[in-house]
Amino acid sequence: MKNQLNRLLALALVALLAGCSSTGDTEGADVEDRGTDAEGVVTSGAADTGSFPGASLDDPNSSLSRRVIYFEYDSIEIVSEDQDLIAAHADHLANNPNQMVSLEGHGDERGSREYNIGLGDRRAQSVRRVFELQGVSPQQISIVSYGEEKPTAEGHSEAAWRLNRRVEIVYMGY
Amino acid sequence: MKSIKGILILALLLVARPGMAALTIEITRGVEGAIPIAVVPFGWSGAGAAAPENMAAIIASDLSRSGRFEPLPDRDLVSHPTEASQVQFHNWRMLNVDDLVIGQIRETGPQQYTVEFQLFDVFRTKRLIGYSFPAHQSELRRVAHHISDLIYEQLTGGQGAFNTRIAYITTTGSGTKKSYTLLVADSDGFNPQTILRSGQPLMSPAWSSDGSEVAYVTFEEKTAEIYIQNVATGARHKVASFPGINGAPAWSPDGTRIALTLSRDGNPEIYLMTLANKSLQRLTNNPAIDTEPVWSPDGTSIVFTSDRGGSAQLYRVAVRGGAAKRLTFDGKYNAGADFSPDGKKLAMVHARNGAYRIAVLDLDSGLLRVLTDGKLDESPSFSPNGSMIIYATDAGNRGVLAAVSVDGRFRQRLSLQAGNVREPVWSPFDRQ
């Protein structure tokens, strides 16, 4: 439990730092320039909007490279440490209204399977709500819950379970 | 019961044929008071050295599996009578068996046979029942299960459920190479037949009330959808593909509707769909998770799982609508219910001290009884005669099926040779 919090805190710090750096340095400027181009050139707009978010999404130093939100047991609440990360994704999506995203909800293996589908759905809905509050269009977001059917970690311990209680932010086309 | 002590491996499938995933049945917990019975190998007259099926072995393992009988081991059979005139009752009395089963199988044509059997009360030296059945070779196992049903009914007064089937899901491989399979097998695990295979998850198989169709959830389009598939023909059609969850299908007892879970209105709610026209009636309206609907056998109410009270518990609501009433108060997690065929009990997943086990709630008394001792037990499903519950459990990091008698006194494991097995559902009595 404590380890998990520490880990989340550390990740949140990384995310924060990454988020701060991307607003000031050349990478952020680069993104803005290309965005302006895309708005001006209608015929090549599709191709440009396709490549435009790629620059930051593919950057391992960007907070946007972290696309998994973890949850407590039987909980659908976003822990405070993850709020900045979700906000960074929301910003990105709000600024790229053609970018579609799928929120994939998951749970750990314990308990009944359809209830876990319900939990995964509610978790994805939690992330969706934050996205929409921060200006992401509902049309950009789709949700699928896999419950316990697609674990990332096998095994029957909290070490595996905490990795499986998650929402994956999946950018369409990546 | 000396022969059921510990783990007795019956090793039902002697020869695993290609393409047949073999299930081995292990009895993990015996029961006091099982009826001692002798099932003598059936006589054989026909071409070849032996009959195409070992009828006596099938019957003996059926009876053993029910937990109500203790068949005499083959090595203890003092003689091998195949007709009434050969039976020496005093020999069997000395072995303390109450009842004796003998029979014959005769070849009557190409792949055609006549099966005869007789059941005797050893102490009253009296024949209780005797029948003769014509059968094609492919029907011999079913005839054996039918004979088991007749013996069970004669000696226990209850209806036998040996001539029924189970549907279940298996997974093999891992990661992106995971394969999901929906299978239907005889209730003893034999004759498993794949009815669907997918690279994406398959979930929640549910039998139609006449046993001819199975509804299930598939993610083959990377989104949840519900299909109904004819078990015999394999033909299937999509019944639900709304945004979000399409889950937990459950057939109404009259077969005209399914209850299901949809999240199309923002969060998981229970709906009823009339299959003839796909019209929907929303049954729950609550910001919590409402899912896993099951019909009461009389068709008037639905029991479902909801976390509206802060944790997963079972609730009951009338099919015509109205307020939901909470049914479970014992512990912080009760989910995934199944109704007993008489409507008097609910089986469920019950969590206590971090262990997820199968429990049964008596609806009249409100008493909850934990039947299993696993850590990750789930998906309970009653046998159609209400005597057993089949469920999924974990055995050494592998999902296997197990069954427990409703009184909790008899448990057995059905372990597939490869892959993970889960979500067993027992068919109704009627089968095609």
Side-chain angles (χ1 to χ4, degrees):
Chain A
M1 189 65 192
K2 190 144 185 256
N3 279 345
Q4 192 184 0
L5 279 177
N6 284 341
R7 195 178 55 86
L8 284 171
L9 207 58
L11 286 170
L13 273 174
V14 171
L16 264 175
L17 290 171
C20 288
S21 68
S22 68
T23 49
D25 64 16
T26 51
E27 180 200 317
D30 187 29
V31 166
E32 268 178 30
D33 283 347
R34 294 177 69 175
T36 315
D37 283 352
E39 278 168 19
V41 184
V42 175
T43 47
S44 64
D48 273 9
T49 48
S51 61
F52 152 59
S56 61
L57 282 177
D58 292 335
D59 178 359
N61 296 318
S62 161
S63 62
L64 299 183
S65 68
R66 250 200 75 210
R67 294 173 200 167
V68 185
I69 314 291
Y70 296 98
F71 291 81
E72 298 291 328
Y73 168 73
D74 203 12
S75 169
I76 62 167
E77 284 182 27
I78 292 162
V79 297
S80 55
E81 289 87 346
D82 276 345
Q83 277 166 6
D84 291 331
L85 174 62
I86 294 172
H89 284 285
D91 266 0
H92 177 78
L93 285 161
N95 291 327
N96 295 275
N98 292 325
Q99 176 64 57
M100 304 292 287
V101 71
S102 173
L103 300 175
E104 297 186 356
H106 300 267
D108 70 37
E109 64 179 345
R110 293 174 291 172
S112 65
R113 288 174 180 272
E114 284 284 359
Y115 182 76
N116 287 335
I117 289 282
L119 267 180
D121 185 80
R122 297 291 309 279
R123 285 170 177 156
Q125 299 284 3
S126 294
V127 177
R128 180 218 285 260
R129 247 187 313 280
V130 179
F131 276 9
E132 291 185 7
L133 281 172
Q134 302 199 14
V136 182
S137 160
Q139 279 73 45
Q140 286 174 268
I141 308 166
S142 64
I143 282 184
V144 59
S145 174
Y146 286 106
E148 62 177 283
E149 309 303 318
K150 287 194 159 185
T152 53
E154 305 284 344
H156 307 303
S157 65
E158 178 57 26
W161 293 333
R162 70 177 186 191
L163 294 174
N164 292 330
R165 295 187 299 265
R166 70 200 193 275
V167 168
E168 295 191 10
I169 301 168
V170 180
Y171 284 90
M172 300 306 198
Y174 287 86
Chain B
M1 296 289 98
K2 51 192 180 299
S3 65
I4 308 188
K5 248 179 213 160
I7 293 181
L8 171 66
I9 300 179
L10 291 173
L12 284 178
L13 198 58
L14 301 176
V15 184
R17 289 169 220 163
M20 285 183 79
L23 282 157
T24 304
I25 294 172
E26 299 169 22
I27 293 167
T28 50
R29 190 178 183 186
V31 59
E32 295 294 323
I35 300 169
I37 190 168
V39 185
V40 177
F42 280 24
W44 163 241
S45 57
E53 294 283 359
N54 186 340
M55 306 297 277
I58 298 167
I59 294 163
S61 56
D62 278 350
L63 296 175
S64 173
R65 212 155 24 87
S66 76
R68 304 289 298 272
F69 294 89
E70 187 193 3
L72 200 64
D74 271 359
R75 62 176 183 278
D76 293 343
L77 297 171
V78 285
S79 60
H80 291 80
T82 60
E83 45 194 83
S85 62
Q86 300 167 345
V87 174
Q88 307 277 327
F89 286 107
H90 60 272
N91 285 345
W92 301 101
R93 272 200 294 272
M94 275 167 33
L95 291 166
N96 281 324
V97 296
D98 290 359
D99 301 280
L100 171 70
V101 177
I102 66 168
Q104 296 184 49
I105 177 165
R106 286 199 314 273
E107 193 170 20
T108 55
Q111 298 192 303
Q112 286 293 328
Y113 305 88
T114 296
V115 180
E116 286 172 17
F117 90 99
Q118 301 181 73
L119 170 67
F120 296 95
D121 182 317
V122 167
F123 287 89
R124 288 189 290 158
T125 65
K126 185 183 158 202
R127 193 178 84 161
L128 299 174
I129 47 173
Y131 285 95
S132 172
F133 305 97
H136 184 264
Q137 183 166 338
S138 62
E139 299 169 320
L140 287 173
R141 288 197 71 90
R142 282 180 59 189
V143 169
H145 293 315
H146 182 58
I147 292 171
S148 302
D149 281 340
L150 292 168
I151 295 166
Y152 185 93
E153 285 157 32
Q154 178 68 33
L155 298 179
T156 71
Q159 191 171 4
F162 303 114
N163 209 8
T164 55
R165 290 184 285 181
I166 49 172
Y168 54 96
I169 309 271
T170 68
T171 61
T172 51
S174 61
T176 55
K177 289 192 177 146
K178 214 162 189 171
S179 173
Y180 301 79
T181 309
L182 171 57
L183 296 105
V184 170
D186 295 348
S187 68
D188 61 356
F190 274 76
N191 196 26
Q193 297 175 71
T194 294
I195 67 168
L196 186 67
R197 195 185 297 275
S198 175
Q200 294 295 325
L202 298 173
M203 284 181 75
S204 305
W207 290 94
S208 65
S209 45
D210 67 357
S212 66
E213 295 176 300
V214 170
Y216 54 83
V217 177
T218 171
F219 287 81
E220 62 202 58
E221 301 289 343
K222 302 280 177 77
T223 176
E225 297 175 315
I226 297 176
Y227 277 78
I228 289 175
Q229 181 163 332
N230 184 292
V231 174
T233 67
R236 65 175 194 160
H237 61 282
K238 196 185 292 185
V239 294
S241 184
F242 298 97
I245 296 175
N246 296 265
W251 240 286
S252 66
D254 67 4
T256 62
R257 289 186 283 182
I258 56 168
L260 69 167
T261 302
L262 302 175
S263 62
R264 60 170 197 168
D265 294 327
N267 74 305
E269 303 284 2
I270 313 285
Y271 292 76
L272 305 179
M273 177 188 279
T274 301
L275 289 169
N277 59 13
K278 306 273 199 296
S279 67
L280 286 171
Q281 171 198 342
R282 182 164 163 177
L283 200 58
T284 59
N285 192 346
N286 194 290
I289 298 170
D290 294 327
T291 188
E292 300 175 335
V294 285
W295 295 75
S296 62
D298 66 5
T300 62
S301 66
I302 298 278
V303 167
F304 62 98
T305 308
S306 178
D307 67 346
R308 58 184 63 189
S311 71
Q313 299 290 345
L314 299 181
Y315 292 78
R316 186 171 197 159
V317 64
V319 165
R320 60 181 55 185
K325 181 174 171 279
R326 183 166 163 180
L327 296 176
T328 50
F329 298 90
D330 199 344
K332 285 192 176 169
Y333 188 99
N334 293 289
D338 190 41
F339 256 106
S340 65
D342 63 6
K344 292 180 175 171
K345 299 187 192 79
L346 285 171
M348 70 199 72
V349 181
H350 169 80
R352 188 179 292 178
N353 302 327
Y356 292 74
R357 293 173 174 164
I358 307 303
V360 165
L361 175 71
D362 184 281
L363 287 168
D364 285 338
S365 68
L367 287 176
L368 186 92
R369 184 171 172 176
V370 180
L371 301 185
T372 66
D373 62 358
K375 286 209 157 157
L376 293 166
D377 298 344
E378 61 184 39
S379 305
S381 172
F382 275 95
S383 64
N385 66 356
S387 70
M388 305 284 289
I389 294 167
I390 195 166
Y391 63 99
T393 186
D394 182 71
N397 285 338
R398 209 158 62 79
V400 300
L401 304 186
V404 61
S405 59
V406 170
D407 62 10
R409 295 202 304 169
F410 181 80
R411 270 206 303 272
Q412 64 193 344
R413 205 157 69 197
L414 295 76
S415 45
L416 197 86
Q417 283 181 334
N420 282 295
V421 196
R422 61 213 203 189
E423 294 200 84
V425 272
W426 212 311
S427 79
F429 278 122
D430 297 328
R431 52 180 287 180
Q432 290 195 327

